[in-house]
Structures are given as structure tokens and as C-alpha cells.
Amino acid sequence: MTQTVAHNTRLRLDLSYDGTNFHGWAAQPGLRTVEGTLGEALAVVLQRAVPITVAGRTDAGVHARGQVAHIDVASKELVRVAGRFTGAPTEALRSRVNKLLSREAGGPVRSSDVVIHEVSVVDADFDARFSALSREYTYRIATRDFDPLRRHDVLWLDAELNVPLMNAAAQLLVGEHDFLSFCKPREGATTIRELLDLRVVEESTTGLTCIHAKADAFCHSMVRTLVGSLLRVGTGKRSWQWPAVRLEERNRTGEVVIAPPHPLTLEKVNYPAESEWGARAAQARHMRGEG
């Protein structure tokens, strides 16, 4: 049971993970998840269970390079965690949790599939989920030579892609819309989102075709459905206007194409200035109908 602690200190956790061997972010009984694994390590170090609030709940197989979460701890707990550690208590917490995560992963020495890069003290107004302005994702595709060492984060597609047509289709989706046709709705939650950027880029350095998506927030499976729809256009199976038609239909009864999860990475979560954390969180809660 989670204990109530006095004199809370809010901590921001910046972390990344390889989603290959996780059943997504959210804790699930009997399954290995990022939240469950991270929570167990934190519980050992802090000597109690601690709730974790995350910027975005990634699906099974999806990776994160720039995930953000927050937890609340008592000041005395940080002092205890630091012990004889000569550095900052937050660094002591980061180091001890990372060692446990590496041990839990069971891979090569000094390796882990989830790593905390930084722990920082933030104001109580900061909310990893609701204070965020936007999230940025990248979906990576190989259409020519395939590097087997990238099999966990790149889709090998045995087909040429018409990138100009994909970009033409993408531009029709940018803006604030009801994305019901592109996501799995949750009861009582809105499917209206503001898609800030959606574009397809051919990278000369890697030889990969990358689909970049940025929005204030994404519904469940929204990025992968956007990608799947653009791939239908790129391979010539649908016209470049088709995704916009699906958008206007606002239903799940038409053709829904969800791309595989493993090539998708949460790259970055963007936040406003510190003075705006509380106002942004209140605004986002109201928009999402959660407070």
C-alpha cells in the first residue's frame, strides 16, 4: 500500500527505455512493464511504494528516448537514500535505482533496457502529464538495405514509398481535429487533439524513411494509425486524399490500419516555462475532461 508522506518533494525523472521486452508502460499484473519495473526499483530504494505519473503511456513494444515522469517523496527519504553518498541526494537516488534496473534486466554487465538519465527537484505545480505542451514521436522505416542490428526499432518494408504523396496526405491532417478515426477511444475521454506536425523525411545519413509526429497529446494508438494510413498512401494502396476522408468520417467502422509498434519511439516531451506549469496543467485537465 502506498504510504502518505509529509513535506513532499516533487522529483522529475528523465528516462529512456527499449520497449522490446516490455508490455507497454502501464503496470499490469503478471506482466513486465516499464512502470512496474521502475516502480519496483523505486520501492526498494525508498522503502515504500510510490505512485508514478508519466508524460505518455507507451504501448507494448514502443520505445522512449525522452520520457518524463514525476514522483513525490518526503525530504527525509531523500536524506536517507543519500546516506554517505557525497553528491546530491537526487543523484544518489538515480544511481541506486539504475543499478537495480540493470540487475533486473539480466543482460550484459552494466546494461539495462530502462535508464533514468536525470532526477531533479521541481515545484509542486509540475505535472509530467498535464504540464506538457507537446509530445514528439518518430517512426523509422527501411525500404532498401536492412541492418539486422536495428530490427527492434526499424520497420523493414519491402516496397518503395512515394514520400511526396505521403507528405501531401499528412498536411491535410495537421491542426486541431477529432481524431476518432485514428485512435482507440476511452469512455468519457475526448478524441480531439491538435496535431502540430506530421511529416515524412528521407534521411541521407541513415538511409531510413522517418515519419515525425508532434501533438499536444496523442490518443491510444493514434501515432501508429496515422503512420499506417500514410503507409497505405506511400505504397499506392490508397489515394493521398484518403486519410483526410477518414478524418472527416470520425468513426472506427472504416478501414483502420495500425502500424507495428517496434519502430516507434517517443523522442521528446516539451514543457512551458516553470512559471506556467500549473496553469498549463489546469488547462490540459479541463481539455481532457479530467478535472
Side-chain angles (χ1 to χ4, degrees), residues 222-289:
M222 179 175 164
V223 181
R224 290 168 53 202
T225 307
L226 289 169
V227 169
S229 300
L230 292 182
L231 289 177
R232 280 284 196 271
V233 173
T235 55
K237 296 178 180 178
R238 291 289 181 268
S239 71
W240 66 275
Q241 299 98 334
W242 175 71
V245 172
R246 287 290 297 126
L247 178 71
E248 290 300 317
E249 289 174 346
R250 293 191 295 277
N251 63 60
R252 298 284 292 175
T253 60
E255 183 177 358
V256 178
V257 188
I258 303 177
H262 70 276
L264 184 61
T265 300
L266 171 60
E267 301 286 354
K268 186 179 181 182
V269 182
N270 301 299
Y271 293 93
E274 182 176 351
S275 61
E276 300 173 17
W277 287 345
R280 172 58 186 173
Q283 178 190 38
R285 287 191 182 94
H286 177 73
M287 290 170 58
R288 306 286 172 251

Side-chain angles (χ1 to χ4, degrees), residues 114 139-140 155 160 187 210 239:
V114 55
Y139 197 95
R140 294 176 170 87
L155 175 68
E160 292 297 320
E187 185 176 354
C210 297
S239 71

Side-chain angles (χ1 to χ4, degrees), residues 54-92:
V54 71
R57 294 186 174 189
T58 49
D59 294 338
V62 176
H63 319 289
R65 181 169 286 106
Q67 181 68 279
V68 180
H70 82 250
I71 60 173
D72 291 325
V73 302
S75 300
K76 63 181 181 181
E77 290 177 318
L78 276 181
V79 173
R80 184 181 68 240
V81 168
R84 297 181 180 179
F85 189 80
T86 56
T90 51
E91 178 59 21

Side-chain angles (χ1 to χ4, degrees), residues 93-115:
L93 177 66
R94 186 191 72 86
S95 177
R96 291 184 61 184
V97 171
N98 278 341
K99 287 179 181 178
L100 289 174
L101 292 172
S102 178
R103 187 183 308 166
E104 187 275 344
V109 176
R110 296 187 180 278
S111 71
S112 179
D113 49 4
V114 55
V115 174

Side-chain angles (χ1 to χ4, degrees), residues 55 129-135 176-177 179 186-196 215-219 222 280-291:
R129 179 186 176 192
F130 289 113
S131 293
L133 288 174
S134 61
R135 288 88 170 160
E176 185 176 84
H177 308 285
F179 284 93
R186 290 190 300 110
E187 185 176 354
T190 180
T191 50
I192 296 175
R193 296 290 188 273
E194 184 177 8
L195 186 60
L196 301 167
D216 58 346
F218 289 94
C219 307
M222 179 175 164
R280 172 58 186 173
Q283 178 190 38
R285 287 191 182 94
H286 177 73
M287 290 170 58
R288 306 286 172 251
E290 300 191 36

